[in-house]
Amino acid sequence: PILFSYPTMNSVIRTNLLRLSPRWSARSVSLLASKPVSPTWSNLMGASSVSPSARFFSASEKLVTLLGREYSEEIQNETNKMPAELIKLQSDLEKEWKIVDDGASTRMFRTAGPTKIQVSFHCQDSVESDDYPYSDNEEFEGEEGNENAEATGEDNDSLEPSVPVRFSVTATKAGKSLVLVCLSEDASPRIHSVSISTQDVEVIHQTGIGATQYQGPEFGELAEDLQEAFQNFLEQDVGISQEVASFVAMMADYKEQAQYTQFLDDAKAILSK
């Protein structure tokens, strides 16, 4: 270990002060350097006198307070409660679909003859509209958007567009699945991609098509009548109606809010003393 005597320590301080602040007078530097300095490693290394544990508890207490504030606001706004219209929509769909709540995800099941249909989506699987542009969407904004603006007296530019939600659909028969990755956009189901897989259906819905399998054609580059035929199959035979698309969007939005509220509560509980 290196030990400093008081005179040596003062000379070191004096030298450093003169180097860092050449405009200071030698007398000012001598007065500063002459003050007693305890030659401990805390002084030498510039360490804080506050212990790490004290700093942690101070930071955690502030964080808990802020988490509690946000949690209280969410509870007050009742964002963790399912809207009445969503409850009714789910009740209506359950006449044809088995709907399973799986935490942040939701799964739906039905059969159409020998074909087993499954739908799954995650509450945070929303996408930016720019990533999936549709000409129909532009027409919607131009016509219906203007009509809504006129009816409400609002400027069309101030209307916030709905955020599309991605969901997966499988139609399985004889060990093979037609996999349709879709978007719920403006209460309508739209196909984004289509492929075939022999993987287990649950694996498809959890991780998607395996990297070693053919990912399917670029759906937007298919012939228009073929795209339309796939779309009609999705809505008429598979049963992905506008009601199902609306349910996907509404349930994803509700679950995202409910999961966020639970996150705040859980984080607060972990950090509380």
Side-chain angles (χ1 to χ4, degrees), residues 34-105:
S34 63
K35 294 185 178 181
V37 178
S38 176
T40 63
W41 281 111
S42 296
N43 297 124
L44 294 176
M45 303 303 294
S48 172
S49 60
V50 182
S51 67
S53 59
R55 289 196 300 271
F56 171 79
F57 284 118
S58 177
S60 64
E61 287 173 357
K62 182 176 181 180
L63 179 55
V64 167
T65 300
L66 296 177
L67 289 169
R69 181 196 67 190
E70 296 298 310
Y71 176 77
S72 298
E73 289 181 0
E74 295 297 324
I75 294 298
Q76 183 177 359
N77 295 331
E78 298 185 341
T79 56
N80 62 326
K81 291 186 178 181
M82 186 181 293
E85 56 269 27
L86 179 56
I87 294 175
K88 184 180 185 305
L89 180 57
Q90 178 171 336
S91 177
D92 292 342
L93 289 176
E94 285 177 333
K95 297 173 183 177
E96 297 184 10
W97 292 86
K98 178 184 178 182
I99 302 175
V100 178
D101 183 354
D102 191 14
S105 299

Side-chain angles (χ1 to χ4, degrees), residues 156-184:
N156 189 43
D157 294 336
S158 65
L159 297 177
E160 183 178 351
S162 59
V163 179
V165 177
R166 184 189 295 108
F167 63 99
S168 298
V169 180
T170 52
T172 305
K173 183 173 66 173
K176 289 186 177 181
S177 297
L178 177 66
V179 184
L180 300 151
V181 176
C182 307
L183 297 176
S184 171

